């Protein structure tokens, strides 16, 4: 039920609505719950017709770096 | 920009992390509980249990809102759907939930106008298109799902729209789990998409109150392994804490706008969970300002006494992580995904449905050389 899909914006319809491309399905999604303005190319976390968060690419890269550090440090032991 | 979640499915990285996990599990074993149907689905679908050491157990807690929706509320929805002029809208998963000898699906087959929608906004659209009908939205779900229902109520919906709220809150269920004396848990994987809304604060409080390790997890295999690794690291610590293994989606502060909207529209009530009884402060009901959109105030719904759990069914114990679906005498004998007896066999997030679909298969269980 709390399944969310990560999908990419293809068209901004209005201030609080966008069309999102999830695979081959185009969905009209509300962005009302987001504090920030979304732009074409952003990845959104979409649940039950509403964007609830944006994906933070920088945070994703930081997590991957932490994983590599963790694996390296253990290997060194 | 490519999808930032894709690297979190990398097979080589999974293999390296599993090797590390094998060195981290204490001799007396570790039990970790998650409280999210989507986590159970991801764990089964990616075959994660088959990769973990045998003395590291990951169990499923009450994380499927379809499973924990009380039978009496489904029965109320069926009663409403059969009322003259009513169109009942709800999520697809709810259609097959068995309630004594019926379900929404059966009511639809008998002539009730019941429609599957993707969200509350679709129900409002149906209300606008059908001004001479009464549209009731059966609203289930946790903090992830409720805000959009709340938004529809703040956007001046038509008066022929109303909401039957069976929404529930996750932190009180965590407290109920942590208070169970017969469950010895070493840590919790917290639900990533609920956390998008509520943020990390409730988990900091939970760690402080119960001194239990917890880590917010995402839904790719590496996300889940990262939460497990953090909880294993915390087994060495005296003071446990809350950790966020899903920061690309879950900000520390959550989604304040969504929480403000929830607080404006709903009031917190003591609420029943199917098979578990009442959990204090775990439910959401529309506040009195929205009485005209509250289906329980708008319609004269009779009082029903409906059994949550059918004879022989162990869903109430499966929901609490005390039994596995395979412990249930009905599992794949009388209770099947195409003909469920208990609520956990219905949804793609129900533990029994997931066990039935993915079978808990592993290389070992297939007896492959």
């Amino acid at each position: 039920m709390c399944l969310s899909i990560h999908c990419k914006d293809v068209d901004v319809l209005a201030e609080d609505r966008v069309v999102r491309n999830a695979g081959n399905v185009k969905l009209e999604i509300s962005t009302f719950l987001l504090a920030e303005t979304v732009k074409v190319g952003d990845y959104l976390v979409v649940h039950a017709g509403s964007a609830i968060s944006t994906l933070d690419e920088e945070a994703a890269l930081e997590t991957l770096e932490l994983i590599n550090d963790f694996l390296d440090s253990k290997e060194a032991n | 920009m490519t999808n930032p979640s894709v690297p979190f499915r990398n097979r080589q990285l999974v293999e390296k992390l599993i090797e590390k996990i094998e060195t981290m599990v204490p001799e007396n074993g570790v039990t970790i509980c998650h409280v999210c149907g989507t986590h159970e689905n991801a764990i089964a679908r990616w075959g994660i249990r088959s990769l973990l050491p045998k003395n590291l157990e990951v169990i499923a807690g009450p994380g499927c809102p379809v499973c924990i929706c009380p039978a009496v509320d489904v029965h109320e929805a069926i009663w409403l759907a059969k009322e003259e002029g009513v169109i009942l809208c709800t999520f697809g998963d709810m259609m097959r939930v068995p309630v004594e000898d019926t379900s929404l699906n059966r009511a639809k087959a008998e002539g009730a106008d019941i429609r599957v929608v993707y969200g509350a906004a679709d129900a409002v659209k149906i209300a606008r298109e059908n001004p001479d009908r009464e549209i009731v939205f059966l609203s289930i779900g946790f903090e992830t799902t409720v805000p959009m229902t709340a938004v529809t109520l703040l956007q001046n919906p038509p008066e022929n729209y109303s909401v039957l709220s069976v929404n529930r809150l996750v932190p009180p269920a965590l407290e109920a789990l942590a208070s169970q004396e017969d469950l010895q848990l070493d840590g919790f994987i917290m639900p990533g998409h609920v956390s998008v809304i509520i943020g990390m604060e409730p988990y900091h409080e939970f760690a402080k109150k119960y001194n239990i390790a917890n880590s917010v997890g995402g839904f790719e295999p590496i996300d889940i392994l990262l939460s497990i690794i953090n909880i294993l690291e915390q087994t060495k610590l005296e003071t446990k804490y809350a950790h966020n293994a899903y920061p690309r989606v879950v900000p520390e502060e959550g989604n304040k706008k969504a929480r403000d909207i929830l607080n404006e529209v709903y009031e917190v009530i003591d609420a029943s969970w199917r098979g578990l009884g009442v959990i204090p402060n775990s439910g959401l009901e529309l506040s009195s300002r929205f009485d005209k959109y509250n289906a329980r105030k708008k319609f004269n719904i009779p009082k029903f006494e409906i059994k949550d759990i059918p004879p022989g069914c162990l869903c109430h114990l499966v929901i609490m992580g005390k039994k596995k679906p395979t412990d249930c005498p009905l599992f794949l004998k009388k209770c099947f995904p195409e003909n469920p007896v208990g609520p956990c066999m219905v949804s793609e997030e129900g533990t029994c449905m997931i066990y039935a679909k993915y079978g808990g298969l592993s290389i070992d269980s297939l007896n492959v050389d």
Side-chain angles (χ1 to χ4, degrees):
Chain A
M1 190 59 216
C2 294
L3 174 73
S4 294
I5 49 175
H6 296 180
C7 53
K8 197 172 184 177
D9 182 10
V10 291
D11 196 10
V12 177
L13 288 182
E15 197 179 330
D16 64 347
R17 301 205 69 79
V18 295
V19 172
R20 294 275 147 180
N21 193 0
N24 292 322
V25 181
K26 285 189 176 177
L27 298 169
E28 191 175 324
I29 298 299
S30 167
T31 55
F32 187 87
L33 294 174
L34 298 180
E36 65 274 29
T37 308
V38 297
K39 56 188 185 303
V40 174
D42 285 347
Y43 271 88
L44 299 187
V45 180
V46 174
H47 173 76
S50 174
I52 54 172
S53 179
T54 50
L55 262 89
D56 183 339
E57 190 180 20
E58 207 172 300
L61 293 172
E62 277 174 24
T63 305
L64 290 169
E65 266 179 44
L66 285 172
I67 294 171
N68 286 325
D69 290 348
F70 167 76
L71 290 171
D72 288 347
S73 67
K74 295 285 171 174
E75 273 165 10
N77 287 338
Chain B
M1 175 172 150
T2 54
N3 186 340
S5 290
V6 170
F8 292 84
R9 295 172 202 157
N10 181 285
R11 183 182 175 132
Q12 285 72 36
L13 214 44
V14 168
E15 286 170 350
K16 284 183 183 174
L17 290 171
I18 291 289
E19 275 177 30
K20 295 300 168 198
I21 286 173
E22 284 168 354
T23 68
M24 295 175 74
V25 184
E27 269 181 25
N28 53 349
V30 165
T31 303
I32 296 172
C33 181
H34 71 74
V35 284
C36 178
T38 311
H39 272 147
E40 182 57 29
N41 196 306
I43 287 166
R45 187 160 49 94
W46 296 111
I48 288 175
R49 280 198 184 90
S50 71
L51 300 175
L52 295 173
K54 296 261 182 296
N55 58 348
L56 169 54
E57 194 172 15
V58 180
I59 63 171
C64 163
V66 175
C67 309
I68 60 91
C69 179
V72 69
D73 293 283
V74 182
H75 212 276
E76 286 179 354
I78 291 169
W79 182 86
L80 281 166
K82 289 181 173 177
E83 282 293 277
E84 183 75 28
V86 168
I87 301 173
L88 186 101
C89 298
T90 193
F91 298 111
D93 273 356
M94 291 305 294
M95 295 297 289
R96 297 186 316 114
V97 173
V99 178
E100 295 199 335
D101 60 348
T102 189
S103 66
L104 286 163
N105 240 358
R106 182 168 289 226
K108 185 177 171 74
E110 289 166 357
D113 194 343
I114 304 175
R115 304 187 192 181
V116 170
V117 292
Y118 184 43
D122 289 349
V124 173
K125 192 170 171 229
I126 292 169
R128 291 195 201 285
E129 291 166 354
N130 296 273
D132 55 337
R133 307 279 299 274
E134 279 293 331
I135 282 62
V136 180
F137 177 58
L138 169 59
S139 176
I140 65 146
F142 299 124
E143 290 91 333
T144 326
T145 316
V146 207
M148 266 320 278
T149 304
V151 168
T152 63
L153 293 166
L154 292 175
Q155 291 183 328
N156 196 25
E159 294 201 2
N160 62 331
Y161 168 71
S162 59
V163 173
L164 185 66
S165 174
V166 199
N167 295 113
R168 297 289 181 264
L169 301 169
V170 167
L174 292 172
E175 299 224 4
L177 273 171
S179 307
Q180 300 281 315
E181 286 179 3
D182 53 346
L183 274 180
Q184 294 299 317
L185 302 173
D186 297 288
F188 283 90
I189 302 175
M190 297 304 194
H193 293 143
V194 165
S195 310
V196 165
I197 305 298
I198 69 177
M200 294 298 295
E201 185 54 34
Y203 305 133
H204 296 309
E205 286 176 22
F206 181 72
K208 203 181 288 179
K209 185 170 177 183
Y210 294 96
N211 198 31
I212 298 180
N214 70 79
S215 174
V216 171
F219 301 92
E220 304 296 345
I222 290 173
D223 292 322
I224 293 165
L225 295 181
L226 289 182
S227 282
I228 290 172
I229 286 169
N230 176 269
I231 291 165
L232 290 173
E233 284 185 325
Q234 290 200 52
T235 57
K236 292 178 268 180
L237 304 178
E238 280 199 14
T239 305
K240 317 297 184 191
Y241 64 93
H243 166 257
N244 184 1
Y246 196 33
R248 70 182 182 282
V249 169
V250 177
E252 172 71 24
E253 68 281 6
N255 186 330
K256 185 176 181 301
K257 187 175 180 186
R259 287 200 305 279
D260 287 345
I261 290 168
L262 285 186
N263 291 336
E264 187 176 349
V265 173
Y266 288 95
E267 60 183 27
V268 175
I269 56 167
D270 296 345
S272 181
W273 296 50
R274 188 166 185 168
L276 310 184
V278 172
I279 300 179
N281 300 316
S282 68
L284 292 173
E285 182 55 278
L286 302 189
S287 66
S288 56
R289 181 182 146 198
F290 297 93
D291 273 357
K292 68 176 178 178
Y293 297 114
N294 186 338
R296 291 194 178 89
K297 301 276 171 67
K298 195 171 194 177
F299 298 92
N300 200 13
I301 304 173
K303 293 274 178 223
F304 296 108
E305 284 198 16
I306 308 288
K307 278 187 187 152
D308 267 346
I309 302 297
C313 170
L314 297 187
C315 274
H316 54 304
L317 298 173
V318 171
I319 288 171
M320 287 299 275
K322 294 180 180 178
K323 292 283 182 191
K324 292 190 172 65
T326 43
D327 297 326
C328 179
L330 307 184
F331 180 72
L332 294 183
K333 293 189 175 70
K334 289 184 178 173
C335 184
F336 300 92
E338 60 272 25
N339 190 18
V341 175
C344 299
M345 188 58 99
V346 175
S347 165
E348 289 289 333
E349 305 209 336
T351 307
C352 297
M353 167 63 143
I354 293 166
Y355 268 63
K357 188 171 178 180
Y358 295 104
L361 292 178
S362 66
I363 299 281
D364 292 343
S365 71
L366 291 171
N367 201 21
V368 176
D369 291 332

